[in-house]
Amino acid sequence: MKIRYTNLVFIPLFFCVTSLFGQDFLVKGKIVDATSGAPIEAATIYAETVRDSSLITYTITNAEGIFALEGRTAYKKVRVAFSSNGYASQSKEIELKPLLEMGSIKLEEQVQELQGIDVIGERVPITIKRDTLEFNADSFKTRPDATVEDVLKKLPGVEVDSDGTITVNGKEVNQVLVNGQVFFSTDPKVATKTLTKDIISKIQITDTKTKEQEFIGEEGDGENKTINLTLKEDKNKGYIGRLSGGYGTDERYQANGLVNYFNDTQRISVLGSSNNINNPGFSFDEVYEMVGNRGGGGISVNRNGGFQIGNLSFGFGEGIVTSSTLGGSYADQEKGKYRIDGNYFFSYSDSFNDEMIARENILPEGSFFTDTETSFVGNTNSNQGSANLEFDVDKTTRITIQPNLSINNTNSTNSERTVSTDEDGNLINSNNALETSDGFSRNFSNRVELMKKLDTLGSYVRVFFNNNNRVDDSESFINSQRSIFGDNPSEQELDQQTLTNNASDSYELGAGYRHALDKDFYFDFRYSHEDRDQKNERLVSNFDEVSGDYVFNAQLSSDFNFNVNRHSPEIRFGSNGKKIRFNVRARLEQIGLNNEDFIQSSTFSRDYSKVLLGSYFNYNMGNKRMSISYNSRLNLPSVTQLQPVPNITNPLNIIEGNPNLNPEVNHSVYLNFNDYNWRERTGFFAYSGVNFEQDKVVSITTTDEDFIRNTTFENVDGNYNGWMGVNYSKQIKKDSTYSFKYTIRPYMNLSKQVGFTNGRRLEAKRLNFNPRVGLLFNYKEMLEIEPEYELGINSTRYNLDNVEDIDFTTHNLSVKVTSYWPKNVVFGNDITYTYNGNLGAGFDKDALFWNMSLGVQLFKKTATLKVLAFDLLNQNINTRRTTGQDFIQDFQGTVLRRYFMGSLTIKFDSFGGKGAPNKRGSRFSF
């Protein structure tokens, strides 16, 4: 506590001192073309120190070429530089004044960039091109051992959440490339958390593009961003790597390593990891790398423990996980000829997870309650490989091949006890079940695409073929005892074997033609045909005490073929103008479904025909952008929802499909606006959307007098989901002394869910409001403080008079404090307080989660010796409340609790210049 109190005293004192010695300044002027006198938009103006060229501040010109460079510094004399893409840069040394008018600055066109000459433009902190925002990594001061993620936090308009999620002006970054190539996977965290800033030259930010948009040179739609990291020339030949290992209390351990080899356009990477702290092993952050994953941490997890990073799955994950991974990645390219990358991963994991669920089941005439306790253990091993192969036959023709193969083996054991009671607490029924399962899956997919440019205006033709071939086999045994209490008590035992053999083969052939009317406007004609065939065999056998063996049960079994035949012609008209981009489109979906069950001797066929409309409009106003889109999408019912065969895996809830279901049609509207003011260092982003679901497939549940549920499915209207949010940020910076950035992010969600129970329509309207505020303060790269607070206001309203509406609030307060003083010592604290005020009895409502680490950097910062305290107060929890149209549910699951660990991290590298791979020599110490 004394440390935090000292920091609180120090911060206001620091601001008082700096306010005495710093001075505000404002430099105004206009950048014009030296020949024509035309204003130059998006030119960069920046001030740096004369002594060591440290960046002080910067800005860009508006559409009239006018700029206003303002800041605060203790220096009396600075160098001001002027730069624009395609022009020769200039610089002037000036004496700072509160207001300095520089008049017109004339820039000469730079016909050819001179090689071998260090021009001032090489230090330009930011360059704005038509569709690319480029930052010079060295212009943004960080600590010497900073990662790419650390420097991203310094960039204007860029935000990095605590879980590593990156947004640029409110748009999420969905891939990070290195020299234009995929780094292991498209997951941004793999590159941003493992590569160090000192090897990066430029950070380029663009709208994410499809393969089609890349080929024809079309801009992306702006919904997602891509970051490309270009390596420094002297760091583009050699290798860089890290090794880390640690051991702690409760036999906790972790070990991981990553080695990257660069040779111009060629890259080879190898990684490996093993741990039992819920960490996939990809994060090498110097302070918190071994903090583990207490609830997801940006990594998606599922009920059976699987976790996923980008497009790579790594087995079980919820609960406590022991995992090992070994993988490699290769990439190479030659401009105008080919670009290839591929990766392979082997992973093994096992996990255990105990859960407790309290659920109120809403009925038209009242409610009943179920309390469930489960215990799960399982393991999986996985082999996954993928590749992206692009070949340019000539300047107008490109062939792309994208194969992907995964093979998985799993086995698990899950025990479950469920008890149901009425509103007076009387026992209704119970079920004890033990299920064991072994599974195998193999999935192969591939996309082959040919694109051909037809003229210089933008006409082109494309042909593609997709296939997906999947096999899923499993064998499971379930043993359960169901008890019904009350006036007519009964007992039922179930000892059942289920063999599942599923195969799915999907093939799609499509073509598209774009006719360019001029350089902006175009017509698109597209067509695709898909044929998907599913073979599902589910063989159920019940144990027979007389024969002592399992006897086939035809009533509960199924063996059917399910075929989907889809034809999709589409036409669209659009424009790709510099300021205005739009398209309007219409697609006809003609779908035929055919099903034949060989055991039940039943068949059904359905034909659907839907016209789906869509549109997109984007208006680019320099630093401002506004877009609105409408899209309609068709979702087919699943095989489970269609197949009319009872599934009694859960004897308290028997599920049977409905072959008469219609497909869902989703109508969605999305609107957003973003603006970044370079002068004020403020960013504003607002967005809103709504999704209406027509003919949504919902559960229809009938609960009998013993509270046994029978569930089927029907199409209903009335479901919707709407959301809106605002993101406002401002950055304040004084020289290289301190930086201060705060963010305000309110968000609201409104939804309506519709279902049926016992013949009555149930509706639940939910409103969630989540204001969020955070700030990031950094002082001389010696102290970093990052507090954040989020309030959750949650309300659920039901249409039944006998059901009480739900209102509750949640609080989440976190503070991350990292000190890099004294030299070579890193002291980190990550404290999070969570509170959920409406959980039921027996569930933890609040917790103070505190991680602490102390590291010492040795041997010129090539090694770090560290001790870590995870969940110092032993209060980590995993609880949550969810609501639906017919239930209110509280959940609590197993989490990783307190442990202490010591670790050693080693960094090594060797780089050389052109023709001298070993020029600099290696740097390796421990």
Side-chain angles (χ1 to χ4, degrees), residues 542-649:
N542 293 328
F543 185 77
D544 181 63
E545 294 183 355
V546 176
S547 64
D549 200 356
Y550 287 91
V551 178
F552 180 66
N553 187 329
Q555 184 180 359
L556 301 179
S557 301
S558 60
D559 180 10
F560 64 89
N561 285 351
F562 184 74
N563 180 264
V564 179
N565 195 280
R566 182 198 300 256
H567 296 269
S568 304
E570 180 180 342
I571 185 172
R572 64 174 64 187
F573 171 73
S575 171
N576 286 323
K578 183 177 180 180
K579 288 187 175 293
I580 295 179
R581 301 178 63 221
F582 73 90
N583 69 58
V584 290
R585 56 193 183 273
R587 184 172 75 255
L588 175 63
E589 292 274 7
Q590 291 182 308
I591 302 172
L593 302 183
N594 293 282
N595 182 82
E596 182 177 7
D597 193 317
F598 300 103
I599 295 179
Q600 302 298 329
S601 299
S602 64
T603 62
F604 68 84
S605 298
R606 299 296 306 272
D607 292 312
Y608 308 109
S609 183
K610 294 283 186 180
V611 175
L612 303 176
L613 304 177
S615 62
Y616 171 77
F617 177 83
N618 181 84
Y619 182 43
N620 195 334
M621 300 164 280
N623 296 332
K624 303 180 180 67
R625 174 184 282 184
M626 180 185 70
S627 67
I628 183 171
S629 64
Y630 163 74
N631 190 42
S632 54
R633 186 176 67 254
L634 195 69
N635 294 328
L636 294 178
S638 68
V639 175
T640 301
Q641 293 168 337
L642 288 169
Q643 187 65 18
V645 178
N647 184 335
I648 62 170
T649 302

Side-chain angles (χ1 to χ4, degrees), residues 253-399:
Y253 71 91
Q254 73 91 26
N256 51 48
L258 173 66
V259 178
N260 293 291
Y261 169 77
F262 301 97
N263 187 6
D264 290 333
T265 60
Q266 187 182 70
R267 176 185 55 79
I268 301 174
S269 302
V270 178
L271 68 78
S273 72
S274 182
N275 69 85
N276 60 359
I277 57 172
N278 293 17
N279 191 329
F282 286 145
S283 173
F284 287 86
D285 184 87
E286 287 297 313
V287 181
Y288 301 105
E289 69 181 4
M290 291 182 302
V291 167
N293 179 14
R294 61 189 175 96
I299 301 165
S300 60
V301 298
N302 60 43
R303 162 65 178 83
N304 292 327
F307 64 89
Q308 184 172 347
I309 302 173
N311 58 353
L312 302 172
S313 299
F314 293 93
F316 301 106
E318 198 161 290
I320 297 179
V321 189
T322 299
S323 64
S324 298
T325 302
L326 180 65
S329 174
Y330 174 81
D332 195 10
Q333 64 180 341
E334 183 175 345
K335 188 175 182 180
K337 291 188 177 182
Y338 63 85
R339 181 172 63 176
I340 61 176
D341 62 76
N343 60 68
Y344 166 79
F345 286 91
F346 169 79
S347 61
Y348 172 85
S349 66
D350 62 65
S351 68
F352 69 89
N353 185 31
D354 295 334
E355 294 180 356
M356 180 173 65
I357 299 172
R359 179 183 177 112
E360 178 182 352
N361 303 279
I362 299 171
L363 301 175
E365 59 277 3
S367 298
F368 72 100
F369 303 86
T370 56
D371 294 299
T372 303
E373 294 182 0
T374 67
S375 180
F376 172 89
V377 294
N379 64 71
T380 182
N381 66 73
S382 173
N383 291 271
Q384 302 180 70
S386 63
N388 178 64
L389 313 173
E390 292 183 5
F391 302 98
D392 290 333
V393 179
D394 53 40
K395 293 183 178 179
T396 64
T397 308
R398 175 174 294 173
I399 298 174

Side-chain angles (χ1 to χ4, degrees), residues 46-57:
Y46 61 98
E48 60 184 13
T49 61
V50 177
R51 182 183 61 185
D52 58 5
S53 299
S54 295
L55 180 67
I56 298 174
T57 188

Side-chain angles (χ1 to χ4, degrees), residues 286 824-828 853-857 864-867:
E286 287 297 313
N824 296 327
V825 175
V826 183
F827 181 48
S853 70
L854 178 64
V856 178
Q857 296 174 321
T864 301
L865 191 64
K866 181 162 39 184
V867 291

Side-chain angles (χ1 to χ4, degrees), residues 109-114:
E109 283 194 40
Q110 185 171 296
V111 180
Q112 184 176 0
E113 187 174 325
L114 301 178

Side-chain angles (χ1 to χ4, degrees), residues 502-572:
N502 297 333
S504 175
D505 296 291
S506 174
Y507 302 95
E508 181 183 15
L509 179 65
Y513 167 69
R514 169 166 295 183
H515 180 73
L517 302 175
D518 56 28
K519 64 185 180 77
D520 290 336
F521 294 92
Y522 63 86
F523 270 112
D524 273 355
F525 305 91
R526 303 183 179 191
Y527 172 80
S528 66
H529 173 239
E530 180 190 9
D531 187 83
R532 184 168 74 247
D533 192 58
Q534 292 179 249
K535 298 179 180 180
N536 295 69
E537 185 181 57
R538 185 172 183 268
L539 307 179
V540 179
S541 300
N542 293 328
F543 185 77
D544 181 63
E545 294 183 355
V546 176
S547 64
D549 200 356
Y550 287 91
V551 178
F552 180 66
N553 187 329
Q555 184 180 359
L556 301 179
S557 301
S558 60
D559 180 10
F560 64 89
N561 285 351
F562 184 74
N563 180 264
V564 179
N565 195 280
R566 182 198 300 256
H567 296 269
S568 304
E570 180 180 342
I571 185 172
R572 64 174 64 187

